[in-house]
Amino acid sequence: MNALSPTLLDPKPAPSDKALVPFVSVETMMRLVHRVGLEAMLRDLAEAIAEAFRRWESFDKTARIPAHSAEGVIELMPTADGELYGFKYVNGHPRNMKAGLQTVTAFGLLADMHTGYPVLLSEMTLLTALRTAAMSALAARHLAPEGARVMAMIGNGAQSEFQAVAFKAICGIEEVRLHDIDPLATAKCARNLDGHGLRVVACGSAEEAILGAQVITTATADKRLATILTDNMVGAGVHINAVGGDSPGKTELARDILLRAEIFVEFPPQTRVEGEIQQLAPDHPVTELWEVLAGRKPGRTGAAQVTLFDSVGFAVEDFAALAYVLGKARETGLHDRLDLIADPDDPRDLFGMLMRAHP
Amino acid sequence: MNALSPTLLDPKPAPSDKALVPFVSVETMMRLVHRVGLEAMLRDLAEAIAEAFRRWESFDKTARIPAHSAEGVIELMPTADGELYGFKYVNGHPRNMKAGLQTVTAFGLLADMHTGYPVLLSEMTLLTALRTAAMSALAARHLAPEGARVMAMIGNGAQSEFQAVAFKAICGIEEVRLHDIDPLATAKCARNLDGHGLRVVACGSAEEAILGAQVITTATADKRLATILTDNMVGAGVHINAVGGDSPGKTELARDILLRAEIFVEFPPQTRVEGEIQQLAPDHPVTELWEVLAGRKPGRTGAAQVTLFDSVGFAVEDFAALAYVLGKARETGLHDRLDLIADPDDPRDLFGMLMRAHP
């Protein structure tokens, strides 16, 4: 059985237009990224997310719906804005890497709320990596100290290069200082960033990586309470972009850092459970990032502040990314079409459609 | 753009096996039904659902997650048994029919809980119609009066023929008496059932349809509190299979019928909100169907009882149907494979995979 079995090549009678759902495969997503350009796409995604965050109140919001197993979690992340409905399927299985599998894979869907018909099915493993990096850089544009040019990148796994390129494209970062407990990961990250216009410095310790950095990004994958950053490592005037802590029992920062930081989050009911702030009291003050993007609350207010974006990823970001991809897929023609929805001539005649298909 | 765009025909480098998710399209599902045989597949699905219901306690259960709009609802229905995770996307848009669209469309997914990787993506518009009918007939096997041979089928839309054939294949129903407020729907249903081994009687009223029927199935689609059956229409010794009332504010039966019926439901927290029993007090006694299937509680206990299966559809049924389809798709080779999951050689090297795909 290969990818081109007869049923896909020769569907007769051909399903009607209504029955065919635009589909962006992994291969197609890669083509789309190269067609648009990586940095341009990261900037576009940041703008798409900013636009969605500015109209935050128009979205139905709910914490993601998890299914836990011993090895990891599978989550559904739905949201809707009255016109479009979107959801993402995403897993997080830290031990997958040892079996040669992705820690995080994802796909997503958009549907027309007026009919319930899907309008896009898309891979989202790549798209999640892109939108997560775009979200981080978008937040940093409002939270990092002015003139920030150096970023420490702690954790050099699958997300790290996307973060580095996004911070270059969106925040003007010029130097990234890499550290990972696995030197092979750092070497891979440095190799991949070659030619992307960044000064790349491989560092033997987290302490070395944060030397001179105005932005500290943590993106490690262990599913446990880890302390990637201790209190004495974080000086004044730094922005921390904490990407890795994103499920109950998984954090990266020492609690003391949180106590002296201005904390910005996506959706508090979700971040309180999954983010770094699961270490704090449930009423510890945080600022919702959408309020900053909508101009209702300030971002960074002083050069000496420690700011923290406690990133866990929220459905509205995926919605914005999918809506952007739908537009680009239509504009470029880069998509397939899937026979996912039954569409009998008479909508009440599903049975007749089935019977007429008798070989 | 057609269904065979170059990205699907010529994916290079070819995604690895891990990246390809088995996919059952509408076309493929129709082939599968004809390969297995319609009645055999309905019996198989009933057995698959019964097996899942007998181990009900092994499933994570949650009420479905809805997104409402003025026109209808989109729902996610997840469940998991520790080994496999499944969810269904389904919409219900009663006004769709007038626009030539399906009222209900659906697709679903199964994933390996140990890795989070999807193992099946499948159309579920047809599969939902099949499993709903199989579920109804399975319930009736335990609840209908002994020797029931005549069923009234009120509401002759997309679900009606599936119900009729399932009750023939699973419960020994020999005669179906059709009624719909739209005579064209009844004519379509009667035409479709021709040759399926049932005596089919078209009736001008619901009263006429229930004459001599031991089973009354209601499957109407209006999204409102309707009274398809009034109290005086339902005599002793009847089983009511109420399929159409399946969302808040949508019911089919007069409340007085409920008060004198033994009521059987799938998952009470969901049925209390969506089913006929939304008309009753929240503590009105009901029996969970899984307890009957597991032999813990009796089904029908007397010839004169009025029994009611207040069917709304539950995730475990979809899970069982998807698992059955996965087995059949593997056995018959009837499936395509979708490039849905990114799979770099080094799982940490998602960025490198993307960059190497540069045209």
Side-chain angles (χ1 to χ4, degrees):
Chain A
M1 180 104 242
N2 64 39
L4 306 172
S5 76
T7 61
L8 211 58
L9 287 174
D10 183 24
K12 40 175 148 199
S16 83
D17 257 20
K18 285 173 214 150
L20 294 175
V21 178
F23 171 55
V24 174
S25 69
V26 176
E27 175 67 24
T28 304
M29 185 63 78
M30 295 196 292
R31 289 185 190 218
L32 198 57
V33 174
H34 292 298
R35 180 79 64 92
V36 176
L38 176 60
E39 292 193 26
M41 186 149 164
L42 287 163
R43 280 191 295 266
D44 285 354
L45 286 169
E47 187 39 52
I49 294 169
E51 186 277 326
F53 272 50
R54 284 193 292 266
R55 59 184 183 91
W56 186 256
E57 288 155 311
S58 68
F59 286 93
D60 281 338
K61 291 173 290 292
T62 175
R64 48 188 148 206
I65 301 111
H68 294 278
S69 66
E71 297 91 348
V73 64
I74 294 173
E75 297 169 325
L76 296 176
M77 302 168 66
T79 191
D81 72 354
E83 291 295 318
L84 281 175
Y85 170 90
F87 81 87
K88 178 165 83 170
Y89 168 102
V90 60
N91 76 301
H93 285 70
R95 298 178 206 167
N96 268 6
M97 209 180 60
K98 285 183 186 149
L101 302 174
Q102 285 281 296
T103 301
V104 175
T105 64
F107 71 91
L109 179 111
L110 283 180
D112 180 342
M113 289 200 80
H114 300 296
T115 64
Y117 272 48
V119 295
L120 175 70
L121 179 74
S122 176
E123 88 80 33
M124 287 193 79
T125 309
L126 281 161
L127 190 58
T128 296
L130 292 161
R131 77 85 165 132
T132 300
M135 177 78 247
S136 285
L138 171 66
R141 212 164 58 191
H142 295 265
L143 304 178
E146 206 157 330
R149 294 290 173 264
V150 179
M151 176 164 89
M153 182 72 239
I154 301 175
N156 300 153
Q159 173 62 202
S160 59
E161 301 96 335
F162 294 95
Q163 288 281 334
V165 175
F167 272 78
K168 177 197 172 233
I170 293 163
C171 303
I173 287 292
E174 296 169 354
E175 175 176 324
V176 286
R177 302 176 62 81
L178 310 179
H179 175 67
D180 195 291
I181 48 170
D182 179 356
L184 291 176
T186 301
K188 178 256 342 175
C189 182
R191 197 166 54 241
N192 279 336
L193 289 177
D194 191 34
H196 283 277
L198 284 157
R199 266 195 320 280
V200 178
V201 183
C203 301
S205 69
E207 287 80 356
E208 187 188 341
I210 65 178
L211 281 178
Q214 299 90 24
V215 176
I216 303 175
T217 292
T218 57
T220 62
D222 263 336
K223 191 181 179 176
R224 59 189 167 92
L225 294 165
T227 305
I228 309 300
L229 291 183
T230 58
D231 191 34
N232 61 1
M233 289 164 71
V234 177
V238 158
H239 172 61
I240 304 171
N241 171 40
V243 178
D246 62 359
S247 61
K250 180 165 170 244
T251 59
E252 295 181 311
L253 307 185
R255 185 169 178 275
D256 287 341
I257 299 173
L258 307 183
L259 294 175
R260 60 191 175 89
E262 291 295 314
I263 302 174
F264 298 81
V265 304
E266 290 141 317
F267 182 59
Q270 184 174 297
T271 313
R272 300 258 182 219
V273 176
E274 301 177 357
E276 296 300 322
I277 59 172
Q278 62 187 279
Q279 303 180 65
L280 300 180
D283 61 350
H284 189 92
V286 298
T287 303
E288 296 187 44
L289 206 55
W290 76 269
E291 298 179 289
V292 177
L293 289 162
R296 300 197 191 180
K297 295 243 175 107
R300 171 174 290 268
T301 54
Q305 264 185 340
V306 173
T307 50
L308 166 64
F309 173 38
D310 188 0
S311 162
V312 297
F314 187 62
V316 170
E317 295 150 40
D318 299 309
F319 180 99
L322 284 169
Y324 170 78
V325 166
L326 176 58
K328 281 288 167 193
R330 284 176 175 163
E331 181 189 317
T332 61
L334 282 174
H335 59 278
D336 299 298
R337 301 213 291 177
L338 278 192
D339 173 25
L340 187 64
I341 299 297
D343 182 48
D345 293 334
D346 171 355
R348 286 178 306 195
D349 199 14
L350 194 62
F351 189 86
M353 183 187 80
L354 172 62
M355 286 304 126
R356 284 188 293 275
H358 198 292
Chain B
M1 181 104 242
N2 64 37
L4 306 172
S5 78
T7 60
L8 210 60
L9 287 174
D10 183 23
K12 49 172 134 178
S16 84
D17 256 19
K18 284 172 215 152
L20 295 176
V21 178
F23 170 56
V24 174
S25 68
V26 176
E27 176 67 25
T28 305
M29 185 64 77
M30 294 196 291
R31 290 184 190 219
L32 198 57
V33 173
H34 292 297
R35 181 78 64 91
V36 176
L38 175 61
E39 292 192 29
M41 186 150 166
L42 287 163
R43 280 192 295 265
D44 285 354
L45 285 169
E47 187 39 53
I49 294 169
E51 186 278 324
F53 271 49
R54 284 193 291 266
R55 60 184 182 90
W56 185 257
E57 288 154 310
S58 67
F59 286 93
D60 281 337
K61 291 172 289 290
T62 176
R64 48 188 148 203
I65 300 111
H68 293 279
S69 65
E71 297 91 348
V73 64
I74 294 173
E75 297 169 325
L76 295 175
M77 301 169 67
T79 189
D81 72 354
E83 290 295 319
L84 281 175
Y85 169 89
F87 80 86
K88 178 166 83 169
Y89 168 102
V90 60
N91 76 301
H93 284 69
R95 299 178 206 167
N96 268 6
M97 207 180 62
K98 282 181 189 155
L101 301 174
Q102 284 283 297
T103 301
V104 175
T105 65
F107 71 91
L109 179 113
L110 283 179
D112 180 342
M113 290 201 80
H114 301 297
T115 64
Y117 272 49
V119 296
L120 176 69
L121 178 74
S122 177
E123 87 80 35
M124 288 191 79
T125 308
L126 279 162
L127 190 58
T128 297
L130 292 162
R131 75 85 164 131
T132 300
M135 177 78 246
S136 284
L138 172 65
R141 213 165 55 191
H142 296 266
L143 303 179
E146 205 155 332
R149 293 290 174 267
V150 179
M151 176 164 88
M153 182 73 238
I154 300 175
N156 301 154
Q159 173 62 204
S160 60
E161 301 95 336
F162 295 95
Q163 289 281 334
V165 175
F167 273 79
K168 175 194 174 234
I170 294 163
C171 301
I173 287 291
E174 297 169 353
E175 174 175 325
V176 285
R177 302 176 62 81
L178 310 180
H179 175 68
D180 195 291
I181 49 169
D182 180 357
L184 291 176
T186 301
K188 177 255 345 175
C189 182
R191 198 166 53 239
N192 279 336
L193 289 176
D194 190 35
H196 283 275
L198 283 158
R199 264 195 322 277
V200 178
V201 183
C203 302
S205 68
E207 287 79 358
E208 186 188 340
I210 65 178
L211 279 178
Q214 299 90 26
V215 176
I216 303 176
T217 292
T218 56
T220 62
D222 263 335
K223 192 182 180 178
R224 60 191 165 91
L225 295 165
T227 305
I228 308 300
L229 291 183
T230 56
D231 191 34
N232 61 2
M233 289 165 70
V234 177
V238 159
H239 172 59
I240 304 172
N241 171 41
V243 178
D246 62 0
S247 62
K250 180 165 171 243
T251 59
E252 295 180 313
L253 308 185
R255 184 166 178 275
D256 287 342
I257 299 173
L258 307 183
L259 293 175
R260 60 191 174 90
E262 290 296 313
I263 302 175
F264 298 82
V265 304
E266 291 142 317
F267 182 58
Q270 184 175 298
T271 313
R272 299 258 183 219
V273 176
E274 301 177 357
E276 297 299 323
I277 59 172
Q278 63 186 282
Q279 304 181 65
L280 300 180
D283 62 348
H284 189 94
V286 298
T287 303
E288 296 186 45
L289 206 55
W290 76 268
E291 298 179 290
V292 177
L293 289 163
R296 299 195 190 180
K297 296 243 175 107
R300 170 174 290 267
T301 54
Q305 262 184 341
V306 173
T307 51
L308 165 64
F309 174 36
D310 188 0
S311 162
V312 297
F314 187 62
V316 170
E317 295 150 38
D318 299 309
F319 180 101
L322 284 169
Y324 170 78
V325 166
L326 176 60
K328 280 289 166 192
R330 284 176 174 163
E331 181 188 318
T332 60
L334 282 174
H335 59 279
D336 300 299
R337 300 212 292 175
L338 276 193
D339 173 25
L340 188 64
I341 298 297
D343 183 47
D345 294 335
D346 172 355
R348 286 177 307 194
D349 200 13
L350 194 62
F351 189 86
M353 182 187 81
L354 172 60
M355 286 303 127
R356 284 188 292 278
H358 197 291

